[in-house]
Amino acid sequence: MFRIRTTLAAVAVATVAAIAVAAPASAHDTIVSSTPAADSQLTTAPTEVVLTFSNNLISLDENSGTAMTVADESGEDWVAGEPTITADSVTVPLAEGMPNGAYTVTWQVVSSDGHPTSGEYSFSLAAPEAPAEPSATATESVAPDQSAEPSQTAESAEPAETASWPLLIGLGAVLLVAIVVFIVILVRRRR
């Protein structure tokens, strides 16, 4: 009986320690919205990229760990200035003259827990070519701005990525409980 209690106490301590170590890893801030939104197809070139996170970001004076690039298919970076952090958002201005094509936004910030976190997403630009002569039908055929609808895609895509941490922790806890039950059954059978 003493061995069973000792074993159960040791397993309980190990479980608490595993959960305590895993909890900070899942505490990193995540993107809740982005402009332009992930996987959006724009008809006009954006003037800036704004990422909004689940918590306020840490902003240090120099070498803060906050960085962002907006690269086209050839690898050219279109960021035209330093990132600006305001509470839970980071913004970078973009250069004019962005050509049509796919763009990859790569970012790194310092989470509210003090740890760096990073990621990337893509959007594309398909601006209509300027017609030789302006006409009323050309302005009517321009697609509406799609930033509102695709931002829901960015909101749902990021949390799914971060939702895997609690799932893994839960599965680990269930596995640990199963191992404890197995050990208890073995110990009882030997008696």
Side-chain angles (χ1 to χ4, degrees), residues 76-101:
E76 183 176 348
D77 186 8
W78 288 87
V79 172
E82 294 297 317
T84 303
I85 297 174
T86 308
D88 61 352
S89 297
V90 59
T91 304
V92 293
L94 298 177
E96 294 181 8
M98 295 173 68
N100 286 346

Side-chain angles (χ1 to χ4, degrees), residues 3 9 33 41 44 51 72-73 78 80-81 85 87 108 117 127 139 143 150 182 186:
R3 288 184 183 178
S33 68
Q41 294 181 337
T44 57
L51 305 179
D72 62 17
E73 295 167 317
W78 288 87
I85 297 174
Q108 177 178 326
T117 183
T139 56
F182 180 73
L186 281 178

Side-chain angles (χ1 to χ4, degrees), residues 106-165:
T106 305
W107 54 267
Q108 177 178 326
V109 296
V110 179
S111 293
S112 59
D113 64 0
H115 294 100
T117 183
S118 60
E120 67 177 38
Y121 75 92
S122 299
F123 69 90
S124 61
L125 175 60
E129 292 183 20
E133 294 180 28
S135 66
T137 56
T139 56
E140 291 173 6
S141 66
V142 175
D145 184 60
Q146 299 176 359
S147 62
E149 185 177 325
S151 67
Q152 294 172 354
T153 305
E155 291 175 12
S156 61
E158 287 296 327
E161 199 173 287
T162 58
S164 63
W165 277 107

Side-chain angles (χ1 to χ4, degrees), residues 162-176:
T162 58
S164 63
W165 277 107
L167 178 64
L168 291 175
I169 292 170
L171 289 175
V174 169
L175 181 62
L176 192 56

Side-chain angles (χ1 to χ4, degrees), residues 10-82:
V11 169
V13 169
T15 302
V16 170
I19 290 173
V21 168
S26 63
H28 293 318
D29 300 330
T30 57
I31 289 183
V32 293
S33 68
S34 61
T35 304
D39 301 321
S40 61
Q41 294 181 337
L42 307 177
T43 56
T44 57
T47 58
E48 63 184 10
V49 171
V50 180
L51 305 179
T52 304
F53 290 83
S54 58
N55 209 337
N56 288 347
L57 301 172
I58 294 179
S59 176
L60 306 172
D61 292 335
E62 289 188 30
N63 300 325
S64 67
T66 300
M68 193 181 315
T69 61
V70 180
D72 62 17
E73 295 167 317
S74 68
E76 183 176 348
D77 186 8
W78 288 87
V79 172
E82 294 297 317

